[in-house]
Amino acid sequence: MGRERDVVQQPLALTAEELVAVNPYNPDILHELENYVNDQVSSQKYSLDANLCLLRFYQFEPERMSTQIVARILIKALMAMPAPDFSLCLFLIPERVQMEDQFKTLIVLSHYLETGRFRQFWDEAAKNRHIVEAVPGFEQAIQAYAVHVLSLTYQKVPRSVLAEAINIEGLSLDKFLEHQVANSGWILEKGHGRGQLIALPQNEFNHPELKKSTGDAIPLEHVTRIFPILG
């Protein structure tokens, strides 16, 4: 019978969203959802709904909670910024768990990202590599978020500001810029070293004249993220 059960359960991790849709209140799928979190880490997939469902199950059965799984869920949520996934997940995690060192670190990292304090973020992340490097693709996801924030703020971004935001310098930054020029429409203006300017693609945030209507106002959360950069 145990062998039969394994055969039935094996493919369920591949359809976790369907599991949640059919059994949103059935704690028997907890183990499958935990496996799916690990699958999200290894395959760099992501399902907020499945992860929120697992965190709700942990609320009702705290003795079954895996802090390693919870940490991975929060790291994946950070990687999804600017979506508010981290706050949604944190709301379902008991305060006593949040007080553990690894979760306090992740909360601090989230705060730095939400306020656009990228230098502080990278410094803190470097001190806690054992936490964030458990999830492949973390650095690249945060770099993409940093570029997103800069694109809301600048028409032309100084090379030094970009380097600090994405935590890349020297030849690695040159290669990054080459890729963005070839694939994302960035333009490198004349200049050398840290004073070089990079023209970013126009959008309704960095070029307000592109805004089609007053109904498209910049969300407040974007404005609050911009202030620290301008400061």
Side-chain angles (χ1 to χ4, degrees):
M1 286 296 290
R3 199 177 174 84
E4 235 174 77
R5 178 178 169 81
D6 288 341
V7 172
V8 172
Q9 286 190 333
Q10 188 173 3
L12 292 182
L14 301 177
T15 58
E17 291 86 353
E18 296 175 3
L19 263 181
V20 171
V22 176
N23 303 282
Y25 306 108
N26 183 1
D28 290 342
I29 68 172
L30 188 148
H31 182 62
E32 281 75 19
L33 292 179
E34 288 180 329
N35 286 341
Y36 188 53
V37 172
N38 291 326
D39 182 57
Q40 291 175 57
V41 170
S42 60
S43 64
Q44 298 193 39
K45 294 185 290 189
Y46 182 57
S47 173
L48 174 63
D49 288 342
N51 294 346
L52 289 176
C53 184
L54 176 56
L55 292 176
R56 285 194 291 269
F57 286 148
Y58 281 157
Q59 283 187 313
F60 294 110
E61 300 193 43
E63 71 281 356
R64 298 179 65 181
M65 177 182 290
S66 165
T67 55
Q68 180 187 62
I69 292 292
V70 173
R72 291 182 172 186
I73 288 174
L74 287 179
I75 294 170
K76 293 291 286 187
L78 277 182
M79 294 166 63
M81 290 188 74
D85 298 13
F86 187 88
S87 296
L88 293 175
C89 293
L90 194 65
F91 180 76
L92 297 175
I93 299 173
E95 186 175 352
R96 61 174 178 78
V97 177
Q98 294 183 32
M99 294 306 295
E100 295 184 17
D101 287 343
Q102 63 176 336
F103 298 116
K104 287 195 290 186
T105 294
L106 292 173
I107 291 170
V108 168
L109 291 176
S110 172
H111 176 68
Y112 285 150
L113 290 179
E114 289 174 351
T115 55
R117 296 159 66 183
F118 294 111
R119 180 70 276 148
Q120 292 94 325
F121 170 85
W122 292 115
D123 288 344
E124 187 68 22
K127 298 174 187 175
N128 295 278
R129 292 186 183 278
H130 63 289
I131 298 175
V132 298
E133 289 185 350
V135 179
F138 177 80
E139 183 175 358
Q140 292 80 1
I142 302 305
Q143 288 168 343
Y145 169 69
V147 168
H148 166 76
V149 173
L150 293 179
S151 72
L152 300 179
T153 312
Y154 291 97
Q155 297 179 11
K156 298 179 181 180
V157 59
R159 179 187 175 102
S160 59
V161 172
L162 175 65
E164 180 174 288
I166 63 176
N167 198 39
I168 301 178
E169 292 277 7
L171 292 177
S172 296
L173 181 56
D174 290 337
K175 291 181 179 179
F176 178 86
L177 289 172
E178 288 176 8
H179 177 81
Q180 296 297 327
V181 168
N183 297 280
S184 303
W186 292 20
I187 298 173
L188 304 184
E189 299 201 341
K190 292 182 179 180
H192 300 283
R194 296 175 63 83
Q196 184 182 40
L197 290 177
I198 299 102
L200 302 177
Q202 296 184 6
N203 60 66
E204 61 180 322
F205 301 114
N206 63 17
H207 284 74
E209 65 274 12
L210 297 179
K211 192 177 296 295
K212 295 180 180 179
S213 70
T214 55
D216 294 328
I218 302 177
L220 178 61
E221 61 267 23
H222 292 328
V223 177
T224 57
R225 289 170 183 157
I226 289 171
F227 284 158
I229 300 175
L230 296 179

